[in-house]
Amino acid sequence: MNYQLSKPILVFRHIACEGPGYLGEVLDRKGIPYRLIRVDQGEEIPRLLNNTSALVFMGGPMSANDPLPWIEEEITLIQTAAKKKIPVLGHCLGGQLISKALGGSVTRNPVKEIGWHPVEVIAQAIDNPWVLNIPPRFE
């Protein structure tokens, strides 16, 4: 598939270790322009989406319910994107922000879930193209 996007995707980073990662590599490989908004460094949240093809919200240790000044700005931006039918993607905290912006609720999980965990490819999945070239165990 050939992607020809002239407007950049905005990627919102909330903590230094939660950048675009593999998504950034794929976008670079496909020649899809993106701009990293370093929220963790105080970069301004854009208010207009005239020059944007999509929004991506990365993770972070905070909650969409925390009283941080940029959370409401991002929620408003997601609502604007939804009205304009601009695609939005969220990872972890980003998913919380999208849920809250679109009328969902974000509640405390009774079990703490954070960090990296061991993954094992089960025998039934070995022939699945999604797991080709993946080691049988990884973190």
Side-chain angles (χ1 to χ4, degrees):
M1 184 178 285
N2 186 9
Y3 298 95
Q4 294 297 325
L5 301 174
S6 59
K7 298 177 182 179
I9 294 171
L10 299 183
V11 179
F12 295 81
R13 183 184 82 184
H14 305 106
I15 186 171
C17 65
E18 291 278 349
Y22 184 67
L23 175 62
E25 292 175 25
V26 170
L27 295 175
D28 287 339
R29 197 167 46 243
K30 299 276 187 188
I32 299 171
Y34 70 93
R35 190 176 110 208
L36 184 62
I37 309 294
R38 295 168 187 87
V39 178
D40 59 307
Q41 292 183 2
E43 289 186 14
E44 186 176 340
I45 308 293
R47 297 194 190 286
L48 301 175
L49 296 174
N50 298 338
N51 193 33
T52 304
S53 62
L55 303 175
V56 176
F57 296 87
M58 301 309 298
M62 61 290 293
S63 163
N65 295 323
D66 288 348
L68 300 167
W70 52 265
I71 288 186
E72 282 305 317
E73 293 177 49
E74 288 189 14
I75 287 172
T76 300
L77 194 64
I78 293 166
Q79 291 167 337
T80 301
K83 287 176 189 164
K84 292 185 171 210
K85 303 214 181 300
I86 295 173
V88 180
L89 175 68
H91 171 74
C92 195
L93 171 64
Q96 291 180 27
L97 292 165
I98 294 168
S99 175
K100 192 165 180 178
L102 300 179
S105 62
V106 176
T107 61
R108 184 176 203 89
N109 188 348
V111 178
K112 186 172 185 173
E113 181 275 319
I114 189 167
W116 298 94
H117 301 283
V119 175
E120 184 173 337
V121 178
I122 59 173
Q124 294 90 334
I126 295 298
D127 294 330
N128 187 313
W130 283 92
V131 295
L132 286 178
N133 303 316
I134 293 179
R137 293 189 63 106
F138 61 95
E139 189 171 287

